[in-house]
Amino acid sequence: MDSEGSPSDLTHHELLNQILSMLQSIRSDYQQLSTAVETIEGRVNVLAGVKQLYDAVEDEQESAPKAMKSRSSAREDDGGSPKPSINSRPPGLLVAEGVPGPAQSGMPVSTGTSSAPAISSRIILTTYPGQSGIDPLVMKWGHRDPIQRGPVVVSRSQSTIRRRNAIGAHGGSYSIYHALAVANKNLDVEHKPDFTNTNPAVTLGPFSQWVDAKKIVSMDPLGHLAPWIFTKLINDENIHIRPTIAITKAHMKLPEIEHSVRSSRLQVDGKICLNGTGELAVTKVAVEPVWYLPGVAERFGIDEGVLRRSLFENTGGSFPELITRGDIKLFLPPIGGLTVYCFGDPAKMSDSNVRLALRVHDECNGSDVFGSDICTCRPYLIFGVEEAVKEAQQGGSGVVIYFRKEGRALGEVTKYLVYNARVFPISANFVERYSRLTNRTAGKRGTDRE
């Protein structure tokens, strides 16, 4: 055999190269097909979610036509339901003193959907109900029909600022960074997001709680579908409407979970626990806070006006519309949101016929991320994940809800101060002492869990 090889060897070599080339081509085609399928699935999920909302509305209308007609007749007999005054405000709500009235506020009158930069020498401190140019979109929190309920609108873009029906800003605590980017001219304040192919990865709902104004008061149950439900408003009136909930799928790996697999506490099933390294398939739901102020006040057993005043005064007067806009009932606070980690079929989260393993966990950066031994938060979190996976593998549902409020919303600075103080003096009654120190440092009592 010469150094160049025999003809048969060359033939085999060429054949293998051809096979390899074909496999690479098939792999590339498969990847493109997978991407296309995922895109289609996302669009189908949105269409399914919107359709289910409207199906629920139609079922309700068909099941009680007589009752609806009776209510309509009663309103006609009464001469129509009284409409709230544009200057109405919740009981106990104070009127801001020393703030210019509508005529002096300097609010420009809307002249259409101008694309001119929303930069002016005038600074608008607040707005008022009935003010010239102010025309908030209707918000009927808890209404069964999503169109009649209305979208959450808080954008300050030129075409939307006069139509807002919510106070605050999108992004929760990240809204401050958004403002910084605008000030630094790294972000156009008029930027209109493109939500193409950002559809929810799974279909959730609708559920009965979505149409009860008292059941859900701190998030928008339609937040994951908003841009697709209210397409007409976005396109026809140039209203900026953004999701406050996003749903995606992912894989996650935790060293403790790998150890659980290797020690046979968790079993590889190929669907939830994917392999021997403990890689987990998970559906993730990110939620930004949207507060329905009457409902939040009721939950705490306080007057809505008291709540509004406290939010205004104890944030350095950051949101004056809490005082001047009693007609606006929604508030998007600058706080952390939450993330839901669902293991198994997301549809089973609401199925009362199956078991649910649930861990509600407050963020603890030191322990959860960096493994600090000063507290036991990460072990609690890992235990919650492991039990959620086990339950999902047994046909139930496993969920971990992760709140972004460090130390029960005390913040890391206060939490570390309490950590330092708890070292001295040494006491046998740890829980009682920790609770007392938390109260002394933060003015807030600790919990038995700590």
Side-chain angles (χ1 to χ4, degrees):
M1 180 183 297
D2 58 31
S3 60
E4 295 181 358
S6 67
S8 61
D9 290 337
L10 291 175
T11 303
H12 290 159
H13 209 52
E14 291 172 355
L15 181 61
L16 288 174
N17 284 334
Q18 290 177 5
I19 293 174
L20 178 60
S21 177
M22 291 175 63
L23 288 174
Q24 290 173 339
S25 177
I26 292 172
R27 180 179 181 182
S28 176
D29 291 343
Y30 175 77
Q31 290 175 340
Q32 293 178 13
L33 180 61
S34 297
T35 301
V37 169
E38 289 178 358
T39 300
I40 293 171
E41 285 180 345
R43 292 173 181 170
V44 169
N45 287 331
V46 168
L47 292 174
V50 174
K51 182 180 183 300
Q52 288 174 4
L53 283 172
Y54 286 114
D55 286 347
V57 174
E58 291 177 3
D59 292 343
E60 177 72 13
Q61 291 173 346
E62 292 175 1
S63 64
K66 293 182 180 180
M68 294 176 66
K69 184 176 180 180
S70 175
R71 288 195 295 269
S72 177
S73 299
R75 285 195 295 269
E76 291 175 1
D77 293 341
D78 293 339
S81 301
K83 296 183 179 179
S85 167
I86 58 174
N87 293 308
S88 62
R89 58 180 183 269
L93 181 61
L94 300 181
V95 177
E97 297 180 359
V99 181
Q104 293 83 34
S105 66
M107 171 61 69
V109 179
S110 174
T111 57
T113 56
S114 170
S115 60
I119 299 175
S120 170
S121 59
R122 292 177 295 175
I123 297 177
I124 311 303
L125 294 179
T126 191
T127 59
Y128 299 84
Q131 185 176 343
S132 177
I134 296 297
D135 183 23
L137 289 166
V138 172
M139 169 52 64
K140 299 179 180 177
W141 192 259
H143 197 288
R144 184 171 296 276
D145 186 332
I147 297 299
Q148 292 191 45
R149 194 214 74 159
V152 174
V153 179
V154 75
S155 170
R156 301 187 67 84
S157 69
Q158 193 83 326
S159 61
T160 306
I161 188 169
R162 301 164 189 84
R163 308 301 309 279
R164 292 175 305 126
N165 59 14
I167 301 164
H170 281 294
S173 57
Y174 298 100
S175 62
I176 303 300
Y177 295 105
H178 179 277
L180 180 61
V182 171
N184 201 33
K185 298 183 179 180
N186 284 320
L187 180 64
D188 183 359
V189 71
E190 292 295 320
H191 172 70
K192 191 174 183 179
D194 180 354
F195 298 113
T196 303
N197 296 333
T198 64
N199 324 66
V202 300
T203 301
L204 293 179
F207 305 113
S208 60
Q209 296 89 338
W210 291 13
V211 294
D212 187 335
K214 294 188 176 182
K215 289 287 187 180
I216 299 178
V217 300
S218 60
M219 67 180 72
D220 178 12
L222 305 182
H224 60 305
L225 296 173
W228 298 279
I229 294 175
F230 303 105
T231 303
K232 185 174 178 61
L233 271 175
I234 295 173
N235 293 337
D236 294 357
E237 300 188 37
N238 198 26
I239 302 297
H240 287 208
I241 298 172
R242 287 179 51 178
T244 55
I245 297 175
I247 306 173
T248 191
K249 290 183 177 181
H251 292 173
M252 60 187 293
K253 294 183 71 173
L254 297 166
E256 294 93 336
I257 297 300
E258 181 178 359
H259 178 73
S260 296
V261 172
R262 296 190 185 282
S263 60
S264 300
R265 287 205 311 272
L266 276 183
Q267 303 300 318
V268 176
D269 63 347
K271 294 181 178 180
I272 302 171
C273 186
L274 302 176
N275 50 49
T277 66
E279 188 173 2
L280 303 176
V282 62
T283 300
K284 299 169 61 177
V285 184
V287 182
E288 290 181 1
V290 178
W291 288 5
Y292 176 58
L293 292 170
V296 173
E298 184 177 6
R299 289 285 180 92
F300 285 99
I302 59 177
D303 182 87
E304 184 188 338
V306 172
L307 173 64
R308 285 172 175 262
R309 177 173 179 173
S310 183
L311 290 171
F312 169 70
E313 293 184 338
N314 292 289
T315 57
S318 297
F319 303 98
E321 285 176 321
L322 287 167
I323 302 300
T324 64
R325 295 298 300 273
D327 60 318
I328 293 182
K329 301 298 182 181
L330 299 182
F331 177 45
L332 277 62
I335 61 174
L338 63 87
T339 306
V340 179
Y341 294 83
C342 175
F343 302 94
D345 183 359
K348 291 186 177 180
M349 285 192 292
S350 59
D351 188 346
S352 59
N353 296 315
V354 302
R355 287 169 56 90
L356 169 68
L358 172 66
R359 166 70 183 173
V360 179
H361 188 93
D362 281 359
E363 174 185 33
C364 178
N365 187 60
S367 180
D368 294 345
V369 178
F370 294 100
S372 169
D373 64 353
I374 203 168
C375 63
T376 57
C377 293
R378 183 178 174 95
Y380 279 121
L381 177 60
I382 296 299
F383 177 78
V385 171
E386 187 171 316
E387 291 301 307
V389 171
K390 288 179 182 178
E391 194 59 63
Q393 288 180 326
Q394 294 170 8
S397 178
V399 178
V400 174
I401 301 178
Y402 196 85
F403 277 92
R404 304 305 299 269
K405 52 187 183 75
E406 182 79 38
R408 295 173 294 109
L410 291 175
E412 280 194 299
V413 171
T414 300
K415 187 165 73 169
Y416 288 6
L417 293 174
V418 176
Y419 284 161
N420 291 342
R422 77 180 184 182
V423 177
F424 304 101
I426 301 300
S427 170
N429 193 340
F430 174 83
V431 173
E432 190 279 332
R433 180 167 58 88
Y434 190 91
S435 187
R436 185 177 67 252
L437 290 172
T438 302
N439 187 39
R440 188 183 74 186
T441 306
K444 180 178 180 180
R445 286 193 60 79
T447 65
D448 290 341
R449 182 181 71 82
E450 296 170 314

